[in-house]
Amino acid sequence: MKKSASKPLHFIIPGILIILLALGLYFENRSTYITPIPKETIGNTAGNLRGGGHFCEYDGKVYFSNPYDGGALYVMNPDCTDMKRLINSNVSFINAGGNYLFYYLESTSGGSGLGYIRAVTGIYRAKLNGRESSCLDQDMTTMMVLIGDEIYCQHYDNTNFSTFHKIPAAGSDEEIELNTDIVETASVAGGKIYYSGVVDDHYLHVWDTATDTDTILWEGNTSYPTVIGDSVYFMNVDYDYRLFRYDLSSGDLTALTEERLDYYNIYDNVIFYQTNGTAVPALMRMNIDGSNPEVVMEGVYNRINTTSTYTYFQPFDDDQTIYRTSTFGPVAVDRFPEAEEAAMEYREEEG
């Protein structure tokens, strides 16, 4: 009788271990691999990021944080049709680039119902459809922007407080602290971040992401600069935070408003801005050259976010209500009913 052939265990066990190790390495590499993001990518506009990054228009879609649904991440067409919930958590600082969304999960308090999953606060990456969500950093951030395949953010923790960091969009343990100063990662052009100094001066600084070096571009007394071509739009500290434009080529300085501002947001050839210090504060709209100012809505508002079709804003003391008006057309304000109705439908489905 022939004996059945068998392999000794000391040959089988190492083989199994090698296979398991190979599988582990494969899935580890797969989790940090993402399809390339174009080098020229800027994840969101300066004004939107200053408004909390609650809206981000990208590739024919608008991704937004729905205040009627606890800040959950939604997607829709620019005209507010075909609205869907992607992630049932409270998000802000939405950025988009390549095949991905990047966002800050602001807290675990947002969201409800069967689809709600408690997650760790931090910076996340997901596919454009909201799937394959992955945490890139678990600490707090006060602002973040995607530039090419890296996220630049103002990082906050209880040890070092506020520091300037960059994180690979693919995710890794190689998060780099760039500076201990406060760098507002909002205005980006040509791979450079333009910001106002906070600690030692209010000059216009530029952070070159190619070399990760900082230089002073102009010694003006600036706040919230937005660089478009050769023009720098900023709130002028020397003139009670009125909105000014500075020409980097000619050195010309032009006042655009007579009123003190709290916030502003530029989209194409219009500027939305919140007045302060006037008898009746209001959200205003004007042309980019300062002409034709008009009242959008009286009161005090923040989180001004613009898209190609609508501009969205919220009452200063009310995080659960949002208004919108046409970005370029006649002023007509409503409470963004499509978002309110979608949130209600999801709640009804979840019981």
Side-chain angles (χ1 to χ4, degrees), residues 6 30 59 106 120 151 169 171 191 197 210 219-220 244 257 273 280 308 331:
S6 61
R30 189 167 178 260
D59 198 21
E106 194 152 319
V120 177
I151 295 168
E219 295 185 0
F244 274 66
T257 67
Y273 59 100
V280 182
S308 60
V331 171

Side-chain angles (χ1 to χ4, degrees), residues 101-122:
L101 294 172
F102 298 84
Y103 58 92
Y104 178 65
L105 196 151
E106 194 152 319
S107 72
T108 57
S109 61
S112 61
L114 296 176
Y116 177 56
I117 300 174
R118 289 193 174 273
V120 177
T121 297

Side-chain angles (χ1 to χ4, degrees), residues 188-245:
V188 180
K192 297 177 180 179
I193 301 171
Y194 297 85
Y195 70 99
S196 295
V198 175
V199 178
D200 298 320
D201 57 64
H202 290 124
Y203 298 156
L204 178 65
H205 289 245
V206 56
W207 185 276
D208 190 338
T209 62
T211 58
D212 282 329
T213 55
D214 177 73
T215 57
I216 294 173
L217 187 61
W218 176 52
E219 295 185 0
N221 207 357
T222 67
S223 178
Y224 294 149
T226 301
V227 173
I228 302 174
D230 288 333
S231 297
V232 183
Y233 298 84
F234 68 100
M235 292 160 54
N236 196 327
V237 180
D238 289 333
Y239 289 85
D240 195 30
Y241 293 90
R242 292 162 56 193
L243 189 64
F244 274 66
R245 181 181 65 240

Side-chain angles (χ1 to χ4, degrees), residues 114-153:
L114 296 176
Y116 177 56
I117 300 174
R118 289 193 174 273
V120 177
T121 297
I123 296 173
Y124 282 74
R125 181 193 69 237
K127 290 287 187 70
L128 292 174
N129 59 10
R131 298 176 182 174
E132 299 183 25
S133 179
S134 176
C135 184
L136 304 180
D137 182 81
Q138 294 184 4
D139 288 319
M140 293 178 61
T141 187
T142 55
M143 184 173 288
M144 56 180 269
V145 64
L146 175 70
I147 305 175
D149 60 359
E150 292 178 309
I151 295 168
Y152 286 79
C153 64

